[in-house]
Amino acid sequence: MTTDLTRATAAELADLLGAGSVSSREVTRALLDRTTAVDGVVRSYLHVDEDGALAAADDVDRRRAAGEGLHALAGVPIAVKDVMATRGLPTTCGSRILEGWVPPYDATVVRRLREAGMPILGKTNMDEFAMGSSTEHSAFGPSHNPWDLDRIPGGSGGGSSSVVASFQAPLAIGTDTGGSIRQPAAVTGTVGTKPTYGGVSRYGLVALASSLDQAGPCSRTVLDSALLHEVIAGHDPMDSTSVDAPVPAVVEAARRADVSGMRIGIVRELTGEGFQPGVQARFDEAVQHLVDAGAEVVEVSCPSFTYALAAYYLILPSEASSNLAKFDAMRYGMRVTPDGVDAPSAEQVMAATRDAGFGDEVKRRIILGTYALSSGYYDAYYGSAQKVRRLIANDFAAAFETADVLVTPTAPTTAFRLGDKLDDPMSMYLNDIATIPANLAGIPGLSLPSGLADEDGLPAGFQVLAPAMVDDRLYSVGAALEARLAAAWGGPLLDRAPDLTEVSR
Amino acid sequence: MSTTTGERTLSFDEALATFDPVMGLEVHVELGTNTKMFCGCPTEFGAEPNTQVCPVCLGLPGALPVVNAVAVESAIRIGLALNCSIAEWCRFARKNYFYPDMPKNFQTSQYDEPIAFDGHLDVELEDGSTFRVEIERAHMEEDTGKSLHVGGATGRIHGATHSLVDYNRAGIPLIEIVTKPIVATREKAPEVAKAYVATLRDLLKAMDVSDVKMEQGSMRCDVNLSLMPRDGDTFGTRTETKNVNSLRSVERAVRYEIGRHAAVLTDGGSITQETRHWHEDTGITTSGRIKSDAEDYRYFPEPDLVPVAPSRETVEALRATLPEPPAERRRRLQTAWGYSDLEMRDVLNAGLVGLVEETVAAGASPAAARKWWSGEIARRANTEGEDVPAYAARLGVTPAHVVELEGLVTSGRLNDSMARQAWEGVLDGEGTPTAVADARGLELVQDTGALEAAVDAVIAANPDVAAKIRDGKVQAVGALIGQVMREMKGQADAGAARAIILERLGQA
Ligand SMILES: [Zn+2]
């Protein structure tokens, strides 16, 4: 066996496992060893569950040997963002306030992974409660970009993207509230999909902003994302906002990879000015590849997108301020008693705990949200933001009249340096400008690598957006583009990433 | 604050001479659903603390609510019974505030979009008149957990060394029914308040949506009260007396607050807008939390739940399930049974309407049904601390037994005192009335020869009495009947004995 199991894609691993040429234990062991070798510098993981992953792998191997019918991805290991509840495995959301909390239940997504027989390697790092675009706001320290360890791996799901980009896992679960799957995918040269809102259950996903949050796949190929998408998607009676409709045929679409006759809409407001020239150049080339593959290009305008960022930064903190109220030191997580108080009241303990347990970005957004929801300001802020949200949905609806999918660069720039934007939240927020509209409208989006920017040699991302519940179209376009790009590059983009074992030694 | 001495109050009459009361009643009702509002946990009362909980009702990170469809149906039925309009589309909202026994630190409730609104409930007063209470809204929400403060003298948080929280109650479905301001009740305000809550209780019980046990907290009333100058039109500042938990207390709390407000206002003071605690033992209220209109719960639509949009067909189908309103039913039954007002009230107060109705339907006369269900069995049920229907159900005593018992009397087999003995036997578990009568040898002597012989013997033994009767003093016959009964060891038909005596003495 000469295949480097850590470099194999999930689809390749599934074939090897299915054919019996490799065991899940071998695959899992190889990935855990890779983690031992490189995670000291990448820091993708908050918790690694070596015993649990190997036990799950052994279980699958046993069942396969017994001739049981198994899921296609059975035995393929996966990492999970630390925002999903995992029974018996710590779930901290990157926050001190949840340090040591071990949920007594599994998120629906996690349950489906376990049912498919996918060993869970561990929980990946993230910006605290998914607030941030760089993973620098994790209370346990930042993750690093495998392409350049001095740079951010994107956020909030930087752990899930870097774990895939650094070959510690073929697949990871991310969550995307304003771009936290797609933007990290873009800056790490990986693939990330935000499914249609409600397409994947939110049960067990610790809520940041309930009306925006969506779990989805992180992978190295478009087909791998589709395979994972199929495992985790589908109606969940435990989530009232879960869509009760058949899951789109995403795997089939990824395998077909056909864009002939498809109308590709370029969003005027999300191109050109404000986008790094190298990012824009790779985007333009990618569009040309799609035209070469038989697609037709149209330009569309979405004028309300101008207000998307403002609306997002009112809705998100509003919902977050309420969702995070449950972290009060009464039932779980950390408890801090205030200094110099003899017999502190419940309120004083809550206040002291929240003060010590939440980081600056979280406090900033709680304060913002509390203000935006307060009675005198509700209409001016939260109410107006909800109106903008409807306008944005209308813009998308109109754009999808003329185009089958919309395309944009995923993020305006390549990965910025760690620390560069820590003191300037506004400029960090701008990184999500192209991804946020999809969350506000609830439509699906996928990011795949479009190449390396000339200025810095770092990955740039290409975003595809489709109408709600037409997630399959993302995979048709993504897979077609991926095939053409790989042919042009002579192999996957990640083959050009630095070999981290040199650095870690 | 002391709970044994109240503030200065004016007498009720003095207060009403100067002021008109304005009331607003908010009644919380725990629905009798099998599961909670947003999860599948059971709702049984009195379980071991924290045994009826799950990630959802504990508000664990990541858990999500799903609306209990049965609770929504109950809410719609309640709305319809209160003559409300039912929203075609409504949402839940989050009411945000920090409180240790509230798992999420927000309560999932309804705010500006209640499921039911603009209704009314007619209540009957003791003088026979009817008062219409306008209903503002009925909305759905979830209950909170329950704190227990340990180590202090009062059981309150002040002075306690630690607190325990039981989340079994967290997430139990509640309906809050809010009246519009109730004006023009004058001196009848306390009675109207009590009658409103009583009528509501009877209605909800008849609908079988809640067990409406005020003493267990499954129905609680908050009493808002303010005074305005007699015949004025501007409402005064109100106080909200929380969690009043019996009908009598509702009446007393209204009365007490009227007197207290009046004293403050007469003394030139002003009323503070606040919540107040009701003290059942002393019959007074004490000051609680200061409440301002600007209290900011930062309501916003609950993003974890899809809107509730009942179809009109569903609403109409639910309307068809509503029972006859209790007041109408009472009037109909009283007429049908020919009961006096007093008799009807006794039957109502004893909770016997259903049993009497079943017994009459099974073939008994209304008089017999009332007589047998309210006599010895009521005494025994009371001793056992149960109501008659529950007690009878436990003993296995049924309407058919009453029908049978009455049949034994009308057929002439048993007289009244024998019937009582037979009924006691039934209650003692000796079997059906017939079986008891057989076993105990209860039977009127039908042999007229024996009866005539006994009569003759008694007349012979009491010549003085017999002479009086011969002279026309017929009322003296009772003494002779009593002796005949003794002679026959109680197994004689008193009516027959009387007829024979009168015949023998020339008075027939
Ligand atoms: Zn529960």
Side-chain angles (χ1 to χ4, degrees), chain A residues 105 202 204 322-323 325 328 331 375, chain B residues 61-62 94 96 103 105 296 304:
Chain A
Y105 78 108
R202 284 188 300 114
S322 173
N323 283 330
D328 63 358
R331 287 161 293 273
S375 53
Chain B
R94 289 190 187 174
N96 294 282
N105 285 319
D296 196 348
D304 285 329

Side-chain angles (χ1 to χ4, degrees), chain A residues 259-260 284-297 484:
Chain A
V259 290
S260 52
D284 294 339
E285 284 167 17
V287 170
Q288 189 54 49
H289 277 297
L290 290 171
V291 172
D292 295 345
E296 181 194 332
V297 170
R484 295 212 157 234

Side-chain angles (χ1 to χ4, degrees), chain B residues 77-249:
Chain B
R77 292 179 74 225
I78 290 171
L80 291 171
L82 296 173
N83 307 292
C84 288
S85 302
I86 304 301
E88 292 188 13
W89 191 91
C90 65
R91 280 183 295 195
F92 282 92
R94 289 190 187 174
K95 181 180 185 180
N96 294 282
Y97 61 103
F98 282 91
Y99 205 68
D101 63 14
M102 201 165 54
K104 296 170 291 190
N105 285 319
F106 60 77
Q107 185 184 26
T108 307
S109 176
Q110 289 196 297
Y111 173 51
D112 50 355
E113 299 170 303
I115 183 87
F117 51 93
D118 288 347
H120 64 261
L121 183 64
D122 290 332
V123 302
E124 269 176 57
L125 304 183
E126 269 165 35
D127 63 5
S129 66
T130 297
F131 190 92
R132 173 160 291 190
V133 176
E134 305 280 346
I135 307 289
E136 166 96 30
R137 56 193 275 150
H139 71 249
M140 300 178 273
E141 60 186 36
E142 58 178 339
D143 215 338
T144 61
K146 229 171 158 174
S147 303
L148 183 68
H149 306 293
V150 186
T154 59
R156 291 185 177 261
I157 195 162
H158 181 76
T161 56
H162 62 284
S163 302
L164 303 170
V165 190
D166 177 7
Y167 292 104
N168 281 353
R169 207 181 66 180
I172 288 189
L174 287 182
I175 299 293
E176 182 175 353
I177 301 161
V178 182
T179 67
K180 291 180 180 168
I182 304 169
V183 294
T185 52
R186 303 237 154 133
E187 68 285 348
K188 292 203 170 124
E191 192 200 339
V192 166
K194 179 184 173 187
Y196 167 74
V197 178
T199 307
L200 195 55
R201 184 195 61 178
D202 293 349
L203 181 63
L204 297 175
K205 194 171 175 70
M207 290 172 68
D208 200 24
V209 289
S210 168
D211 63 9
V212 289
K213 289 186 175 161
M214 294 189 83
E215 70 284 1
Q216 286 183 6
S218 62
M219 180 169 177
R220 336 194 259 273
C221 182
D222 296 345
V223 175
N224 287 285
L225 188 114
S226 66
L227 294 185
M228 58 184 180
R230 187 97 224 212
D231 298 321
D233 53 11
T234 311
F235 295 173
T237 303
R238 68 173 194 275
T239 53
E240 183 179 9
T241 304
K242 302 290 278 184
N243 294 332
V244 185
N245 63 356
S246 75
L247 291 178
R248 183 164 162 264
S249 296

Side-chain angles (χ1 to χ4, degrees), chain A residues 101 104-105 202-206 210 237-240 322-323 325-328 331-332 346 350 370 373-375 378 382, chain B residues 55-56 59-66 94 96 98 100 102-106 167 296 298-301 303-306:
Chain A
W101 183 58
Y105 78 108
R202 284 188 300 114
Y203 189 79
L205 192 183
V206 181
S210 308
M238 299 289 279
D239 175 358
S240 143
S322 173
N323 283 330
K326 66 177 58 162
F327 301 102
D328 63 358
R331 287 161 293 273
Y332 42 74
M350 281 187 207
T370 304
L373 283 180
S374 53
S375 53
Y378 181 91
Y382 190 79
Chain B
V56 176
L60 291 189
L64 293 175
V66 174
R94 289 190 187 174
N96 294 282
F98 282 91
M102 201 165 54
K104 296 170 291 190
N105 285 319
F106 60 77
Y167 292 104
D296 196 348
R298 305 191 310 282
Y299 285 102
F300 73 106
D304 285 329
L305 289 171
V306 290

Side-chain angles (χ1 to χ4, degrees), chain B residues 36-42 52-59 167-168 170-171:
Chain B
K36 291 187 180 179
M37 189 75 214
F38 300 116
C39 65
C41 287
Q52 301 186 343
V53 294
C54 73
V56 176
C57 56
L58 283 176
Y167 292 104
N168 281 353

